[in-house]
Amino acid sequence: HRRQYPRHYNRSAEAARLGNPRLLNTFMLGFAAVFLPLDAERLKEAILERLPQKLRPANAEAYELGRLAEPVRPATPPVS
């Protein structure tokens, strides 16, 4: 069961929580995985196998945090 695609997502809080802005890319791939018609675990494996061994644990954690993240709705509706 896929979630509804969000209109907005505030990434600044997540970047701060990850501690390294470079991990935000992997976080966003994890976040996007729940909306894509792909196997999320296979996507994760494909990402991690292309990284050096020492970077895999942090990126695996960032990916999982992205999968668990909830969209953040803006305080005011966007202007059309």
Side-chain angles (χ1 to χ4, degrees), residues 2 11 44 61 66 68:
R2 301 250 180 240
R11 298 173 305 217
K44 177 182 170 183
E61 181 179 357
L68 298 172

Side-chain angles (χ1 to χ4, degrees), residues 19-41:
N20 182 341
R22 292 184 205 180
L23 293 173
L24 187 56
N25 292 326
T26 306
F27 173 90
M28 291 305 294
L29 286 169
F31 182 79
V34 299
F35 303 104
L36 300 173
L38 303 171
D39 182 284
E41 281 303 310

Side-chain angles (χ1 to χ4, degrees), residues 35-53:
F35 303 104
L36 300 173
L38 303 171
D39 182 284
E41 281 303 310
R42 290 185 70 192
L43 177 59
K44 177 182 170 183
E45 290 169 10
I47 294 165
L48 296 178
E49 73 183 20
R50 286 163 176 77
L51 295 172
Q53 187 67 36

